[in-house]
Amino acid sequence: MSGGLQTVPDARGHFGIFGGRFVPETLIPALDELEQEYRKAQQDPDFQRQFHYYLRHYVGRPTPVTFAERLSEYLGGARIYLKREDLCHTGAHKINNTLGQILLAKRMNKRRIIAETGAGQHGVATATVCARFGFECEVYMGEEDVHRQALNVFRMKLLGAKVIPVTSGTRTLKDATSEAIRDWVTNVRTTHYIIGSVVGPHPYPMIVRDFQSVIGQESRQQMLEMTGKLPDVVLACVGGGSNAMGIFYPFLEDPVRLIGVEAAGRGLHTGEHAATLVTGRPGVLHGAASYLLQDEHGQVKPTHSISAGLDYPGVGPEHSYLKETGRAEYVTATDEEALQALQVLARMEGIIAALETAHAVAHAIKIAPTMPKDSTILINLSGRGDKDVDIVSRALGGGL
Amino acid sequence: MSRISERFSTLRQRGEGALVVFVTAGDPNPELSEKLVLSIAEAGADIIEVGIPFSDPLADGPTIQSSTFRALQQGVTPASTLEMIARVRSQSEVPLVVMTYFNPVWQMGVARFAQQAAGAGVDGVIMTDMPPDEAGEWHPVARQHRLDTIFLIAPTSTPERMRLVAQMSSGFVYCVSRTGVTGAREHLPEEVPQMLQAMRQLTELPLCVGFGISRPEHVQAVCRIADGAVVGSAVVSLIAQEMEKGERAVLSAVHRFVKELKEATRAR
């Protein structure tokens, strides 16, 4: 590639002014070790072979791209394609990363795994690979999320993981992440922390992006095969931003619009949202400099989204960089719009998407009608919605 | 010479270790917090670390998380903390160190923060989540304003890391006694002497040990091998515990405890 967008981060983990390692000294040697091991693994054909073997035979890759024929007709503009990460084992893209990281943990001989989770999808994906490869697994989850994602809590327990409810702060993903970092600082010699998104201190944003970029690599090829050209727009929801980074990355040097959709919650004007890139400003949280929802004194603000996976005040540093450079655009969808989109997709295509994913679908519903009929939109359908049916039914005023 | 360095040279002459005490600014309330800092100085603390609360203190255990939360509830900000420090400074020559996380400093603006901190009478700054690798902007600005830059080493630090910390630090080096977060503990970890020995070979700077130091006997043991001991959570939890009995109870309990801790630095 000729451009510079795929050459970040630099040697010290910076994406422009973003990224870096803002963590206690105790963790720096572990981050160095992880980075060294990862760079070795990248060059190691055995590691690559193993990773791709399990992606194919365990995760179920490649996932298909589905032409959303009825939805496209209904919207009357661009043709919409769905990258079906909901068909991955465990029901979301998260396992692409947990698989890669468990193989790294094995190389580093760390037998205990910890993770944070919001919606529970990353927790389930971590518990799954821990079960498959025989690792001890503890997952930190905000108490509020433990309640609203009860199904995933039970799945993690079935998989043999211990779920630790976090009662500090806002009791959501932000505090689960802080607590996981505290555990890691304490047990760093024996424990690998599998971060679930493109956030955290270097090298995590790079590693998670690379493991997730299989989504973009496959779908770029699939779109060329199915439509004879690249998509005009690639859409993905953004909480921490791993599914978006995974699908964006292989398209960075292409003439393709990349749009990330953040959670506008009850509306940007209400202040109850999680639209970090759209309304925040640069700050430092959980080990990296990136856009952050914070008050004038640098205190992190509480967030709201109907989707637990997007309910996070930070975002991956590379997204901040893509925003600053203008390479990607970031927009929002409200709780209401996501709920609508979830129903539209279910009825038109027979696919029940996760509430996170529904934010990306909601934006497609807004822009597709304004685009020419020969244009195409590729949506990263990052996860399936089984975990959300209870929340959706309550939001729509019914019981199960 | 900075107030911090002066204090260490005085202590060295006297053959004492330094007692470094941490409190969260504004805890349990802004007015009492200011009185507490003065009382802690009066009781014999050699250096006082004043914590600027940050909403997401990921290096802190439950005790300091709670004090942080109490302070934020009271509306404590970086600016109000520096104002408090300025008032303390007008009444005391005790070396004062600000301890915080990078974000509140970054949001104020690194240069503006350094200028205001120096103007308020702050002598040094510790940012728990800023290793020297990320201090490229901070370090020269702090030096320009004669603020000591105090970095941390941990039991996991490699010799290269220790060398970097030695190069970038002034005032003293904060030696984290164990892998983990802040909080009172029963016992001192065994790996501390080794870490101190390694660091001694790389720097002349005083070495202070913190994290888990909660009793006079811990302070005494630490001062045998280090230049000072940092006590944080034990003081902060005493403040919380005595608060039900009223302000005077808090002040006298903390004063008594700090005096005991200081005594222990003389018994090495």
Side-chain angles (χ1 to χ4, degrees):
Chain A
M1 301 279 172
S2 55
L5 283 166
Q6 288 182 327
T7 63
V8 287
D10 67 17
R12 288 173 49 240
H14 290 107
F15 303 84
I17 67 159
F18 303 107
R21 286 179 174 174
F22 294 89
V23 290
E25 177 65 29
T26 310
L27 291 181
I28 300 283
L31 294 169
D32 281 338
E33 182 195 4
L34 177 60
E35 184 178 357
Q36 279 163 18
E37 200 58 49
Y38 176 64
R39 297 210 187 268
K40 270 191 257 165
Q42 269 182 313
Q43 305 301 321
D44 180 353
D46 268 355
F47 179 88
Q48 295 303 330
R49 208 175 304 124
Q50 266 189 45
F51 181 51
H52 289 284
Y53 175 89
Y54 290 112
L55 281 180
R56 181 164 174 202
H57 298 286
Y58 191 66
V59 175
R61 304 206 72 91
T63 57
V65 165
T66 300
F67 172 45
E69 189 177 0
R70 290 192 67 220
L71 179 64
S72 303
E73 262 171 40
Y74 167 74
L75 295 172
R79 294 159 67 88
I80 295 173
Y81 292 79
L82 310 171
K83 176 60 173 169
R84 300 293 304 281
E85 292 300 295
D86 59 320
L87 297 178
C88 286
H89 177 42
T90 72
H93 73 289
K94 293 290 186 188
I95 197 164
N96 302 324
N97 167 47
T98 61
L99 174 64
Q101 286 205 46
I102 201 82
L103 295 174
L104 284 178
K106 215 170 134 188
R107 286 172 72 104
M108 293 186 294
N109 229 342
K110 294 197 170 172
R111 304 304 302 182
R112 178 174 177 265
I113 297 294
I114 54 168
E116 84 296 336
T117 197
Q121 288 303 104
H122 174 58
V124 168
T126 304
T128 298
V129 295
C130 285
R132 172 61 186 77
F133 292 93
F135 284 64
E136 186 190 337
C137 180
E138 296 187 25
V139 180
Y140 289 91
M141 189 169 188
E143 200 180 39
E144 185 178 331
D145 294 334
V146 168
H147 294 309
R148 60 179 166 173
Q149 306 280 207
L151 176 67
N152 273 343
V153 173
F154 187 65
R155 289 169 78 197
M156 286 184 265
K157 287 180 180 166
L158 270 181
L159 292 161
K162 186 173 163 199
V163 178
I164 306 170
V166 175
T167 55
S168 57
T170 54
R171 301 171 186 218
T172 58
L173 179 55
K174 174 187 80 128
D175 302 284
T177 306
S178 295
E179 213 47 45
I181 293 174
R182 291 184 186 113
D183 180 314
W184 201 35
V185 173
T186 309
N187 301 300
V188 61
R189 288 177 169 128
T190 57
T191 300
H192 176 63
Y193 175 19
I194 300 190
I195 291 187
S197 192
V198 288
V199 300
H202 177 64
Y204 280 108
M206 171 181 80
I207 290 180
V208 179
R209 172 198 74 195
D210 290 354
F211 286 145
Q212 290 295 1
S213 66
V214 65
I215 304 171
Q217 285 156 11
E218 283 175 10
S219 51
R220 192 175 181 282
Q221 193 58 38
Q222 287 164 319
M223 287 302 284
L224 287 172
E225 283 163 15
M226 289 172 79
T227 69
K229 60 186 181 116
L230 293 171
D232 296 283
V233 171
V234 174
L235 270 179
C237 65
V238 177
S242 70
N243 91 79
M245 216 49 244
I247 199 165
F248 286 178
Y249 191 65
F251 288 101
L252 283 180
E253 307 292 339
D254 295 323
V256 172
R257 273 179 77 191
L258 306 174
I259 305 177
V261 188
E262 297 192 305
R266 299 193 172 99
L268 294 182
H269 63 283
T270 66
E272 295 180 53
H273 59 77
T276 307
L277 288 160
V278 171
T279 71
R281 59 175 205 279
V284 170
L285 177 68
H286 295 149
S290 193
Y291 270 70
L292 180 63
L293 288 170
Q294 55 185 325
D295 70 14
E296 55 176 315
H297 305 296
Q299 309 298 350
V300 180
K301 278 190 193 169
T303 51
H304 164 80
S305 170
I306 191 168
S307 106
L310 303 186
D311 199 351
Y312 182 65
V315 68
E318 193 161 7
H319 283 296
S320 294
Y321 180 70
L322 293 178
K323 177 189 161 85
E324 290 283 292
T325 56
R327 178 61 191 95
E329 305 156 53
Y330 296 89
V331 298
T332 62
T334 61
D335 289 353
E336 190 60 37
E337 289 165 338
L339 274 169
Q340 283 291 340
L342 186 144
Q343 294 171 80
V344 168
L345 188 71
R347 286 181 195 166
M348 296 268 165
E349 299 295 338
I351 297 169
I352 298 173
L355 274 169
E356 290 78 11
T357 311
H359 287 71
V361 177
H363 194 68
I365 291 172
K366 287 181 206 167
I367 63 170
T370 70
M371 293 170 63
K373 280 192 191 298
D374 60 349
S375 61
T376 54
I377 296 175
L378 172 66
I379 302 175
N380 191 0
L381 206 85
S382 54
R384 69 177 186 222
D386 307 43
K387 69 183 176 62
D388 294 320
V389 290
D390 193 27
I391 295 172
V392 173
S393 90
R394 262 182 281 148
L396 299 177
L400 269 186
Chain B
M1 208 193 290
S2 75
R3 268 195 203 91
I4 293 172
S5 306
E6 266 174 45
R7 178 64 59 123
F8 278 105
S9 77
T10 309
L11 290 169
R12 208 163 281 163
Q13 284 164 18
R14 287 192 206 146
E16 289 175 20
L19 174 66
V20 185
V21 174
F22 170 92
V23 287
T24 300
D27 173 49
N29 63 61
E31 200 190 326
L32 182 54
S33 176
E34 187 175 328
K35 287 184 196 161
L36 274 166
V37 174
L38 285 164
S39 168
I40 289 166
E42 207 272 328
D46 295 297
I47 296 171
I48 302 177
E49 293 176 1
V50 178
I52 295 181
F54 174 52
S55 55
D56 296 79
L58 52 79
D60 286 302
T63 304
I64 293 176
Q65 286 177 48
S66 302
S67 66
T68 294
F69 182 69
R70 286 193 294 271
L72 289 173
Q73 292 283 90
Q74 312 260 351
V76 174
T77 65
S80 76
T81 304
L82 294 179
E83 284 161 21
M84 177 186 89
I85 287 175
R87 289 192 297 273
V88 169
R89 177 55 74 225
S90 69
Q91 300 166 68
S92 170
E93 276 301 304
V94 69
L96 292 165
V97 169
V98 161
M99 189 159 187
T100 188
Y101 291 81
F102 182 49
N103 199 49
V105 172
W106 202 27
Q107 297 313 312
M108 190 185 256
V110 166
R112 196 168 140 233
F113 176 83
Q115 188 194 355
Q116 296 195 0
V122 170
D123 302 298
V125 178
I126 307 173
M127 287 182 259
T128 324
D129 62 347
M130 184 199 264
D133 324 51
E134 298 290 351
E137 187 187 359
W138 165 245
H139 191 263
V141 170
R143 281 297 151 83
Q144 188 195 326
H145 290 279
R146 295 169 187 272
L147 292 168
D148 279 327
T149 50
I150 298 152
F151 290 96
L152 302 92
I153 59 166
T156 51
S157 296
T158 57
E160 298 79 61
R161 301 288 315 162
M162 289 188 176
R163 203 163 292 129
L164 182 62
V165 168
Q167 275 167 19
M168 298 282 280
S169 297
S170 62
F172 65 92
V173 174
Y174 194 128
C175 307
V176 175
S177 70
R178 68 192 77 226
T179 59
V181 293
T182 59
R185 307 290 204 294
E186 287 292 312
H187 301 289
L188 286 178
E190 283 164 14
E191 55 198 351
V192 174
Q194 220 181 331
M195 172 173 61
L196 294 174
Q197 209 174 15
M199 196 62 188
R200 287 276 186 225
Q201 293 172 3
L202 300 170
T203 182
E204 305 267 288
L205 285 171
L207 306 180
C208 294
V209 178
F211 281 43
I213 318 287
S214 52
R215 299 174 185 171
E217 54 268 37
H218 296 164
V219 171
Q220 188 179 347
V222 164
C223 286
R224 279 198 196 109
I225 51 174
D227 302 292
V230 187
V231 182
S233 295
V235 174
V236 170
S237 68
L238 185 62
I239 294 171
Q241 180 198 312
E242 294 296 313
M243 201 41 203
E244 318 169 359
K245 300 182 200 155
E247 298 202 350
R248 278 174 52 195
V250 177
L251 284 165
S252 72
V254 170
H255 194 273
R256 197 168 26 201
F257 184 50
V258 171
K259 235 177 148 170
E260 274 177 56
L261 294 170
K262 180 56 206 172
E263 275 305 316
T265 69
R266 298 187 177 114
R268 64 210 288 210

